[in-house]
């Protein structure tokens, strides 16, 4: 690592301020706190997350979500699959925040929805608090949803335009039989609104009468009112103004500290994830390519794809910005209907090697101290033994309405 | 990149924890004015902590009350629901007003026809029949502003009474078509799968035939023609349109974020269909009903025109008047065709304008 004067050095210096805060955080280390089932907020010391020793609240093992591509005039014939999520394993400890990043179309949203079974996973295992979620059927799955809630990207379209805020919030309570006592329900709604920073007068209003940030607060309140353990936030701030983004992220953080929530935050904004996540996973084309604690990942990205992502983040210092090395990825993102064999990233990887990369899919493996990387040559790249080379860009053949099934073929340009 | 040290809102005081920086004054504050007020019993044994606790609660309450008061004063009294909002926008739209006035007048005339019409629509008047020949039908005379129809009845009164029949046929045909169509569309949209396939192929078959041809076939199939066969035929013709429309928007709703959100909340599938998908899809259908009303009037008139309508010779109906009398005596007295045709056009236009304006007003995208 020492001989490289790449972007990571700059990133490290830039990170120093945050690192201090982070070490202060790691200090308190109650592995047992914030467990689901314990009264939220009472036992959880603020900011006990990040130690990595907590009990996993949710575990995904080799989860796959494939969407069939149907074709045919009278009888639907499956002509192929979109491999949206193709074998992802991760676990999130109770009270922690897991940030999932990746470019659009890499399957991060589908993973979030598959985790909640809003889309049905094709394969794999989802264990939530010791119970196999995929084995739950009908009514028991519906009941289980109380503990795992979701926050959506577009706050307006995820709120039914004909429901007042009160009706939006009460709906979930009613669905789980928690709205029997009128008095208590009303108190619960008010408390929840207060927790997300909205006045009680909001109850009688409708979603269109609020600003974007307020709408997202309503969306958070809707998830929060059920007192869940896990919240999957799918791009919770990307539809908001930058100034509002910080407010909403802070709100999420405060709520986590107060209630011991566990988050899976899906975002494409690296800064957002760095700000809020304890552990960060990077996805590329349906698979996890790297996973590490937020500090490690941003200080020392090890997977070539992560390096390219990180080098795209501008540095707010013109001198540094001009001199720093940038890795520009060549070619198109391959189509998830026809992912490359071997390492998904080898078609665009500046470090790709003639051996293994094209025919052996690298597993996510622990490289150094909890830093998991899916790359055959992670150590060599990190040590500088391998140098980046030019990549002949390969373009995705556009879907020209030809025979179905052969879309997404990669065309070499050189 | 947002720096965590300068995050807005982190150091922000929350209601209730503002006065925590005052404990030092606590013991000294005893004799200050204001303090005895909240401490009427004047218990000197209170620990500073207890007193602080009370003071925090009090300050918080007062602040909260003030905020609530402010909110009450500034906020409009209640939320504006989708329909109230649509109605407000509808009232500002001149097209809607024109449509509403036409429709309103038409409905009023239909309801109060016996009071408005100067004469009995089936009575044959001697003063009219006297001048009635094969090639002359009396025009406007005193007491008979539109003159006579070919049987010596008061044409004006028949026109007015005709509105009743038109309204009756239009309302009933639309309602029957709407009900059947909504049922089929809701079932197809809610269940999907093979139910959807079967129902939609059925509607495809119905839509493949021109609507008037289908209506004629249906009327011809009936053993005896009456006004009910007309209503039924016109209703059946509109069923596939409603069914397809509802099914389509229900499928769109099924994929929408707020339905996904409801599912994530754990709302029962039945409630998702009944409370989210159906109500949000119905707006399009309601608008379509207004437009269908216009089409139903035209279809019913067309059936009458073709001689497939109500055989009752005494019943005043615009389509019948246009089709039978207007056609036969067009050379002699074209007004017999003009007036019913004009009435049908204006009423159909009124409903179309209202429907289009409603479509615009109800579109959630127009909400601010």
């Amino acid at each position: 690592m020492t001989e490289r004067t790449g972007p990571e050095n700059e990133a490290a210096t830039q990170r120093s301020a945050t690192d201090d805060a982070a070490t202060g955080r790691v200090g308190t280390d109650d592995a047992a706190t914030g467990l689901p089932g314990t009264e939220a907020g009472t036992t959880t010391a603020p900011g006990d997350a990040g130690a990595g020793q907590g009990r996993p609240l949710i575990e995904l093992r080799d989860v796959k979500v494939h969407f069939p591509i149907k074709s045919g005039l009278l009888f639907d014939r499956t002509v192929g699959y979109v491999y949206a999520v193709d074998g992802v394993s991760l676990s999130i400890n109770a009270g922690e925040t897991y940030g999932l990043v990746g470019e659009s179309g890499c399957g991060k949203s589908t993973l979030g929805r598959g985790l909640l079974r809003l889309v049905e996973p094709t394969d794999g295992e989802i264990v939530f608090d010791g119970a196999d979620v995929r084995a739950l059927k009908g009514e028991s799955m519906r009941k289980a949803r109380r503990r795992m809630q979701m926050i959506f990207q577009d706050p307006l379209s995820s709120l039914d335009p004909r429901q007042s805020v009160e009706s939006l919030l009460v709906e979930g309570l009613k669905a789980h039989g928690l709205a029997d006592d009128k008095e208590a329900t009303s108190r619960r709604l008010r408390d929840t609104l207060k927790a997300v920073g909205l006045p009680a007068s909001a109850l009688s209003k409708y979603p269109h009468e609020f600003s974007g940030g307020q709408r997202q607060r309503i969306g958070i309140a809707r998830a929060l009112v059920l007192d869940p353990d896990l919240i999957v936030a799918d791009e919770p701030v990307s539809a908001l103004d930058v100034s509002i983004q910080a407010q909403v992220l802070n709100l999420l953080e405060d709520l986590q500290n107060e209630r011991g929530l566990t988050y899976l935050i899906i975002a494409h904004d690296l800064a957002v994830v760095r700000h809020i996540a304890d552990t960060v996973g990077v996805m590329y084309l349906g698979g996890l390519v790297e996973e590490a604690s937020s500090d490690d990942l941003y200080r020392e990205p090890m997977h070539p794809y992560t390096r390219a992502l990180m080098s795209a983040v501008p540095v707010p210092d013109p001198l540094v910005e001009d001199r720093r090395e940038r890795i520009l990825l060549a070619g198109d993102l391959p189509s998830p209907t026809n992912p490359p064999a071997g390492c998904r990233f080898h078609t665009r990887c500046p470090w790709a090697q003639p051996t293994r990369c094209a025919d052996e899919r690298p597993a996510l493996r622990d490289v150094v101290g909890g830093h998991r990387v899916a790359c055959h040559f992670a150590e060599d790249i990190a040590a500088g033994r391998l140098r980046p080379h030019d990549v002949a860009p390969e373009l995705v053949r556009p879907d020209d309405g030809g025979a179905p099934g052969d879309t997404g073929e990669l065309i070499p340009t050189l | 990149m947002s720096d965590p040290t300068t995050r807005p809102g982190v150091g922000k005081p929350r209601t209730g924890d503002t006065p925590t920086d005052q404990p030092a004054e606590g013991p000294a504050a005893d004799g200050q004015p204001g303090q005895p007020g909240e401490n009427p019993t004047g218990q000197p044994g209170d620990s500073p902590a207890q007193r602080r606790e009370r003071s925090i609660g009090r300050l918080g309450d007062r602040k909260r009350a003030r905020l609530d008061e402010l909110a009450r004063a500034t906020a409009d009294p209640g939320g504006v629901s989708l329909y109230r909002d649509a109605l407000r926008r509808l009232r500002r739209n001149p097209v809607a007003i024109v449509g509403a006035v036409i429709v309103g007048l038409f409905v009023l005339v239909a309801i109060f026809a016996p009071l408005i019409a100067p004469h009995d629509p089936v009575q044959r008047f001697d003063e009219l029949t006297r001048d009635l020949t094969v090639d002359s039908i009396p025009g406007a005379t005193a007491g008979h502003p539109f003159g006579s129809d070919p049987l010596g009845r008061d044409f004006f009164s028949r026109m007015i009474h005709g509105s009743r029949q038109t309204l009756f046929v239009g309302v009933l045909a639309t309602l029957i078509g709407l009900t059947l169509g909504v049922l089929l569309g809701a079932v197809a949209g809610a269940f999907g799968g093979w139910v959807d396939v079967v129902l939609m192929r059925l509607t495809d078959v119905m839509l493949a035939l021109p609507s008037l041809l289908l209506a004629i076939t249906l009327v011809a199939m009936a053993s005896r023609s009456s006004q009910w066969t007309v209503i039924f035929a016109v209703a059946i013709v509109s069923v596939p349109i409603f069914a397809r429309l509802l099914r389509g928007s229900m499928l769109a709703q099924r994929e929408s974020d707020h339905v996904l959100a409801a599912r994530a909340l754990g709302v029962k599938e039945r409630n998702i269909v009944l409370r989210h998908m159906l109500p949000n899809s119905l707006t399009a259908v309601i608008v379509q009903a207004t437009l269908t009303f216009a089409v139903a009037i035209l279809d019913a008139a067309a059936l009458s025109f073709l001689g497939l309508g109500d055989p009752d010779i005494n019943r005043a109906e615009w389509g019948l008047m246009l089709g039978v009398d207007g056609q036969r005596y067009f050379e002699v007295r074209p007004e017999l065709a003009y007036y019913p045709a004009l009435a049908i056009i204006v009423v159909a236009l009124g409903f179309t304008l209202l429907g289009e304006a409603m479509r615009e007003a109800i579109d959630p995208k127009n909400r601010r």
Side-chain angles (χ1 to χ4, degrees):
Chain A
M1 220 42 243
T2 43
E3 61 183 88
R4 297 263 312 155
T5 50
E8 53 268 64
N9 276 13
E10 264 76 38
T13 44
Q14 198 204 352
R15 190 73 189 128
S16 58
T18 346
D19 285 349
D20 296 342
T23 42
R25 242 194 215 169
V26 177
T28 56
D29 182 12
D30 318 86
T33 55
L35 286 186
T38 56
E39 186 56 42
T42 50
T43 52
T44 312
D48 70 332
Q53 285 178 21
R55 203 176 66 131
L57 177 68
I58 186 149
E59 263 189 285
L60 309 186
R61 293 192 201 118
D62 202 25
V63 170
K64 295 179 180 170
V65 184
H66 299 170
F67 296 112
I69 308 167
K70 305 251 186 187
S71 166
L73 203 60
L74 206 56
F75 300 101
D76 285 347
R77 197 161 48 93
T78 303
V79 295
Y81 289 95
V82 177
Y83 300 94
V85 177
D86 203 19
V88 169
S89 304
L90 58 87
S91 80
I92 310 174
N93 290 337
E96 278 193 20
T97 302
Y98 192 104
L100 204 55
V101 288
E103 57 196 309
S104 347
C106 72
K108 53 193 193 304
S109 288
T110 309
L111 179 65
R113 287 172 188 203
L115 187 156
L116 298 175
R117 282 184 65 197
L118 292 173
V119 296
E120 206 55 54
T122 320
D123 196 15
E125 209 177 333
I126 301 170
V127 180
F128 177 77
D129 197 17
D132 184 0
V133 176
R134 282 196 67 205
L136 295 176
K137 290 205 168 56
E139 192 65 5
S140 48
M141 181 64 220
R142 191 183 74 74
K143 291 223 173 82
R145 293 195 181 282
R146 186 193 68 76
R147 296 183 58 196
M148 30 210 304
Q149 282 298 307
M150 182 155 183
I151 298 171
F152 290 83
Q153 173 175 12
D154 183 349
L156 187 56
S157 76
S158 64
L159 303 172
D160 190 335
R162 68 187 55 241
Q163 277 185 305
S164 67
V165 172
E166 178 166 13
S167 138
L168 280 164
L169 296 185
V170 164
E171 185 167 35
L173 291 176
K174 273 192 181 146
H176 295 284
L178 297 169
D180 296 335
D181 182 358
K182 251 193 162 142
E183 193 80 356
T185 306
S186 157
R187 210 178 316 120
R188 192 166 184 171
L189 296 190
R190 275 157 212 278
D191 287 348
T192 309
L193 280 182
K194 202 171 134 200
V196 300
L198 287 173
S201 60
L203 279 177
S204 59
K205 292 196 179 178
Y206 287 79
H208 73 280
E209 297 173 271
F210 293 92
S211 69
Q214 287 172 320
R215 282 175 198 152
Q216 194 56 289
R217 284 168 194 269
I218 297 171
I220 293 170
R222 175 170 59 176
L224 212 60
V225 78
L226 290 174
D227 198 13
D229 300 309
L230 173 74
I231 290 186
V232 175
D234 186 2
E235 305 264 9
V237 296
S238 55
L240 305 176
D241 286 350
V242 177
S243 57
I244 310 295
Q245 286 188 0
Q247 287 179 17
V248 170
L249 287 177
N250 290 331
L251 172 67
L252 287 174
E253 219 165 42
D254 292 351
L255 290 170
Q256 182 172 47
N257 293 340
E258 285 163 25
R259 299 173 180 233
L261 295 165
T262 306
Y263 289 139
L264 173 64
I265 307 250
I266 298 161
H268 61 256
D269 187 334
L270 295 168
V272 163
V273 169
R274 180 186 202 167
H275 179 106
I276 199 163
D278 302 308
T279 310
V280 178
V282 182
M283 273 185 86
Y284 181 78
L285 213 60
L288 214 50
V289 296
E290 184 164 4
E291 186 196 87
S293 74
S294 175
D295 297 331
D296 283 351
L297 188 92
Y298 282 84
R299 194 184 319 112
E300 194 191 340
M302 293 182 88
H303 193 279
Y305 177 65
T306 319
R307 289 183 164 221
L309 271 190
M310 294 298 169
S311 78
V313 177
V315 179
D317 177 342
L319 295 175
V320 177
E321 175 68 16
D322 283 350
R323 280 187 289 112
R324 76 196 178 91
E325 183 195 14
R326 250 159 295 181
I327 307 166
L328 294 176
L329 290 182
D332 290 349
L333 177 70
S335 162
T337 57
N338 190 8
C343 176
R344 294 278 152 93
F345 189 56
H346 84 265
T347 56
R348 301 166 80 194
C349 181
W351 282 272
Q353 297 300 306
T355 53
R356 299 181 82 191
C357 285
D359 39 49
E360 188 185 335
R361 191 171 174 193
L364 198 64
R365 63 199 168 88
D366 204 323
V367 175
V368 271
H371 199 133
R372 301 204 294 158
V373 187
C375 177
H376 297 305
F377 301 100
E379 290 90 347
D380 295 334
I381 295 170
R385 284 195 291 275
L386 289 178
R387 308 296 302 169
H389 52 74
D390 284 339
V391 177
E394 296 187 5
L395 303 178
V396 174
R397 187 191 296 280
D399 185 4
D400 52 4
D406 67 349
T407 53
E409 191 188 338
L410 286 172
I411 323 161
T413 53
L414 289 177
Chain B
M1 199 174 291
S2 38
D3 189 331
T5 49
T6 57
R7 292 169 0 193
V10 150
K12 204 179 69 179
R14 276 182 248 274
T15 321
D17 47 4
T18 338
T20 40
D21 50 349
Q22 295 175 341
E25 312 174 18
D30 261 11
Q32 281 179 3
Q35 199 69 6
E38 298 94 32
N39 203 355
T41 48
Q43 288 162 349
D46 273 7
S47 73
Q50 276 174 308
R51 232 170 300 150
R52 191 166 71 237
E53 199 59 46
R54 259 207 313 280
S55 141
I56 290 166
R58 193 188 68 238
L59 261 172
D61 280 347
R62 209 190 291 158
K63 197 170 170 188
R64 229 170 283 138
R66 209 167 50 228
L67 277 174
D68 278 354
E69 196 182 317
L70 198 69
R72 264 198 300 278
T74 50
D76 42 342
V80 184
S81 82
L82 192 69
Y83 284 116
R84 261 169 61 192
D85 197 39
L87 197 66
R88 204 188 55 213
R89 248 178 289 119
L90 211 55
R91 276 205 296 262
R92 289 202 206 122
N93 185 352
V95 173
I97 292 169
V98 172
V101 165
I102 293 174
V103 170
L105 275 177
F106 166 66
V107 171
L108 281 181
V109 167
I111 290 171
F112 298 108
L115 301 177
I116 299 168
H119 303 290
D120 185 345
V122 295
Q123 191 192 343
R124 299 173 74 162
F125 292 90
D126 288 342
E127 67 266 31
L128 295 173
T129 40
R130 208 183 319 120
D131 306 327
L132 210 59
T133 61
V134 180
D135 23 55
S136 105
I137 294 168
T141 55
H144 304 286
F146 282 11
S148 165
D149 85 335
L151 290 175
R153 298 173 292 199
D154 181 47
F155 190 41
F156 183 64
S157 301
R158 287 187 69 76
M159 278 298 298
I160 287 172
H161 276 268
S163 65
R164 293 196 124 182
Q165 191 60 21
T166 305
L167 182 71
F168 182 69
V169 171
V171 165
L172 232 63
T174 306
L175 277 183
I176 295 171
L178 181 75
T179 314
L180 291 177
V182 163
L183 268 174
L184 287 185
V187 167
F191 289 97
W194 65 267
V195 179
D196 179 37
V197 172
V198 169
L199 288 177
M200 285 308 113
R201 290 306 149 274
L202 194 74
T203 60
D204 280 349
V205 170
M206 290 172 80
L207 283 172
L209 300 168
S211 67
L212 194 59
L213 203 63
L214 182 63
I216 291 170
T217 316
L218 286 169
V219 174
M221 271 159 62
S223 54
R224 202 163 46 84
S225 169
S226 75
Q227 63 167 331
W228 294 104
T229 56
V230 173
I231 290 172
F232 187 69
V234 173
I236 292 296
V237 164
S238 68
V239 166
I241 299 168
F242 284 122
R244 283 236 96 138
L245 191 68
L246 186 67
R247 179 242 181 202
S249 52
M250 281 197 45
L251 287 188
Q253 291 289 329
R254 185 178 276 286
E255 301 302 316
S256 75
D257 269 4
H258 67 258
V259 167
L260 198 68
R263 198 162 291 141
L265 279 180
V267 178
K268 289 194 176 100
E269 199 61 29
R270 182 176 44 121
N271 286 344
I272 291 179
V273 170
L274 292 180
R275 299 224 187 102
H276 291 279
M277 283 162 64
L278 198 58
N280 276 301
S281 312
L282 273 180
T283 45
V285 174
I286 291 166
V287 170
Q288 180 62 35
T290 331
L291 300 173
T292 301
F293 197 100
V295 176
I297 292 173
L298 294 176
D299 277 356
L303 286 177
S304 296
F305 179 87
L306 292 170
L308 293 166
D310 194 350
D312 184 355
I313 196 160
N314 278 333
R315 184 165 281 138
E317 206 264 314
W318 292 344
L320 203 68
M321 289 153 82
L322 171 66
V324 180
D325 301 346
Q327 203 179 10
R328 196 174 298 158
Y329 298 101
F330 190 71
E331 312 264 301
V332 183
R333 230 170 83 72
E335 289 92 333
L336 284 180
Y338 290 162
Y339 291 144
L342 201 64
I344 291 169
I345 290 168
V346 169
V347 169
L349 178 74
F351 276 100
T352 309
L353 290 180
L354 195 62
E356 288 292 344
M358 270 169 69
R359 187 205 297 280
E360 235 168 78
I362 223 158
D363 187 353
K365 284 188 207 73
N366 288 336
R367 307 189 89 187
R368 282 171 295 111

